[in-house]
Amino acid sequence: MNPGAVRSYALELNLTDSENATCLYAKWQMNFTVRYETTNKTYKTVTISDHGTVTYNGSICGDDQNGPKIAVQFGPGFSWIANFTKAASTYSIDSISFSYNTGDNTTFPDAEDKGILTVDELLAIKIPLNDLFRCNSLSTLEKSDVVQHYWDVLVQAFVQNGTVSTNEFLCDKDKTSTVAPTVHTTVPSPTTTPTPKEKPEAGTYSVNNGNDTCLLATMGLQLNITQDKVASVININPNTTHSTGSCRSHTALLRLNSSTIKYLDFVFAVKNENRFYLKEVNISMYLVNGSVFSIANNNLSYWDAPLGSSYMCNKEQTVSVSGAFQINTFDLRVQPFNVTQGKYSTAQDCSADDDNFLVPIAVGAALAGVLILVLLAYFIGLKHHHAGYEQF
């Protein structure tokens, strides 16, 4: 087979043998999050999701000595390999190997150490022979400084008679999931009026700096998007969403992404050296029609709380990023600075904002009541005074 080169959002390989019959088929999506040390001795995290031009050189159908193998090359010095083995009635996704090049100045512009690093993962996922393995759910592999994410996976090694099987073997997550078979079905069909959505499930997200947690966030997220006069409401599923980010002395970033969300950034900042707030939100995501929706606003002011505390709001709130994009939050709690021992600090509740708003109203109402009582007393006294004159 001549693997050739393709550029695609989903990776797909139809490997054929010497008789041009399909021997291995795979279609899947993946990205990688890599943490690396910079030249100034700090750590950064980068997500590798755009594979650019992909080749499959070295992919083989397998023989008596060697099992099937999917080999993928992308970018300068990046590669990925999946190995398969066969037993009497099953075949296995045996291992996965990912190599990345910190010498690539586009991806790792300030890496302290330059070179190609490799992480190996043993899987041993067993699948019945002549079954097509499907796993739409997000699967995560984490080792050393690398987190690998896979979703929308279809694969069959040892294809019989050149025909990919119609019998599907589901991964455990898909067996227990109530989500529709493809992630895109979680996005509503475009209509002029958005379909009402149930309350989204709250997810817990974190960002690490070295071995320490530096940012915590728990929230249910509902996206309200309007594009080309079409409104959509999308609940973010925390089970298929993963987080990365960074922490600095005066700014902190929480980045969420999934199979449809390229990135959803929450940028926090410090003001007056004693408080933090949500300053910026950026999003780029794929809509159900295949178009890309992107919005950025770096002039926001939400979720204000003292440094050393967390901000909490259990009721529904709306972050208005633009006229075309709003985020409804539920059961929110965030702490982007001064996290200790991986736990939230004492929370400032958003109800305190309501209390602050009600205080002047209550004081005004009390003063008005006192004034009314004074006026009533005055008029009653005046009336009695006139009655005294008439009796005299």
Side-chain angles (χ1 to χ4, degrees):
M1 174 189 174
N2 180 11
V6 297
R7 180 185 178 90
S8 176
Y9 179 53
L11 300 172
E12 186 171 14
L13 172 65
N14 186 27
L15 194 63
T16 56
D17 59 20
S18 58
E19 297 179 357
N20 205 32
T22 297
C23 61
L24 186 152
Y25 175 79
K27 183 177 181 180
W28 75 104
Q29 300 195 55
M30 63 182 180
N31 66 25
F32 310 92
T33 299
V34 179
R35 177 177 171 271
Y36 68 97
E37 186 179 6
T38 67
T39 52
N40 60 4
K41 303 304 179 183
T42 61
Y43 286 87
K44 284 187 178 180
T45 300
V46 62
T47 297
I48 303 165
S49 56
D50 184 0
H51 308 305
T53 300
V54 175
T55 58
Y56 299 96
N57 298 313
S59 300
I60 59 174
C61 295
D63 51 34
D64 293 338
Q65 285 75 37
N66 302 293
K69 177 172 68 176
I70 300 174
V72 181
Q73 303 84 38
F74 56 95
F78 295 82
S79 62
W80 181 88
I81 295 174
N83 292 293
F84 300 83
T85 56
K86 181 181 179 182
S89 59
T90 62
Y91 67 95
S92 298
I93 306 174
D94 198 49
S95 63
I96 284 177
S97 174
F98 169 58
S99 297
Y100 59 98
N101 180 18
T102 57
D104 175 22
N105 290 325
T106 301
T107 308
F108 305 97
D110 50 357
E112 170 71 12
D113 298 319
K114 300 291 187 178
I116 295 178
L117 303 174
T118 301
V119 290
D120 297 306
E121 292 278 0
L122 297 177
L123 298 181
I125 300 174
K126 292 186 178 181
I127 305 153
L129 273 176
N130 205 31
D131 274 13
L132 176 68
F133 176 73
R134 175 189 287 276
C135 195
N136 292 316
S137 301
L138 180 70
S139 299
T140 301
L141 301 175
E142 185 169 357
K143 188 174 184 179
S144 300
D145 292 323
V146 178
V147 181
Q148 306 178 51
H149 303 281
Y150 301 93
W151 65 97
D152 287 356
V153 176
L154 284 173
V155 64
Q156 183 180 356
F158 304 100
V159 174
Q160 304 296 305
N161 302 318
T163 303
V164 176
S165 177
T166 57
N167 296 323
E168 293 187 350
F169 180 81
L170 301 181
C171 65
D172 291 338
K173 284 188 176 181
D174 278 14
K175 291 175 184 176
T176 58
S177 174
T178 58
V179 180
T182 62
V183 295
H184 294 294
T185 59
T186 62
V187 181
S189 299
T191 57
T192 54
T193 302
T195 304
K197 283 278 184 176
E198 68 281 1
K199 179 180 175 181
E201 179 183 350
T204 298
Y205 311 100
S206 63
V207 176
N208 291 337
N209 188 4
N211 294 324
D212 298 323
T213 300
C214 59
L215 183 153
L216 289 170
T218 303
M219 50 191 170
L221 296 172
Q222 187 176 80
L223 310 183
N224 294 271
I225 295 173
T226 302
Q227 188 175 52
D228 299 328
K229 298 181 180 180
V230 175
S232 303
V233 179
I234 303 167
N235 283 352
I236 289 185
N237 181 357
N239 299 315
T240 57
T241 303
H242 59 276
S243 61
T244 57
S246 61
C247 300
R248 298 181 181 177
S249 58
H250 285 75
T251 60
L253 165 67
L254 172 64
R255 168 168 287 187
L256 306 181
N257 52 45
S258 67
S259 58
T260 55
I261 299 174
K262 297 169 70 176
Y263 57 82
L264 172 56
D265 290 349
F266 296 90
V267 181
F268 300 87
V270 173
K271 65 178 180 180
N272 302 327
E273 299 298 329
N274 61 359
R275 300 187 71 86
F276 72 82
Y277 69 104
L278 176 66
K279 182 181 185 296
E280 182 177 342
V281 170
N282 309 307
I283 187 171
S284 182
M285 68 176 294
Y286 297 94
L287 299 182
V288 69
N289 61 7
S291 65
V292 176
F293 176 83
S294 299
I295 288 287
N297 188 338
N298 63 358
N299 193 29
L300 302 176
S301 185
Y302 293 95
W303 306 348
D304 188 300
L307 280 176
S309 68
S310 58
Y311 177 85
M312 183 172 69
C313 195
N314 290 323
K315 67 181 182 181
E316 179 179 354
Q317 280 190 313
T318 299
V319 174
S320 183
V321 181
S322 72
F325 179 50
Q326 300 84 38
I327 304 174
N328 296 335
T329 63
F330 303 80
D331 302 322
L332 169 71
R333 190 169 187 181
V334 294
Q335 184 170 347
F337 300 98
N338 301 347
V339 176
T340 57
Q341 297 181 343
K343 297 179 180 179
Y344 286 109
S345 300
T346 303
Q348 174 168 309
D349 199 298
C350 61
S351 60
D353 299 334
D354 297 336
D355 293 342
N356 292 336
F357 175 74
L358 292 174
V359 165
I361 297 176
V363 171
L367 290 174
V370 170
L371 180 60
I372 291 171
L373 289 175
V374 170
L375 290 174
L376 283 175
Y378 171 75
F379 285 118
I380 291 172
L382 186 61
K383 182 177 180 181
H384 284 208
H385 181 68
H386 282 295
Y389 273 111
E390 290 171 0
Q391 290 174 3
F392 179 76

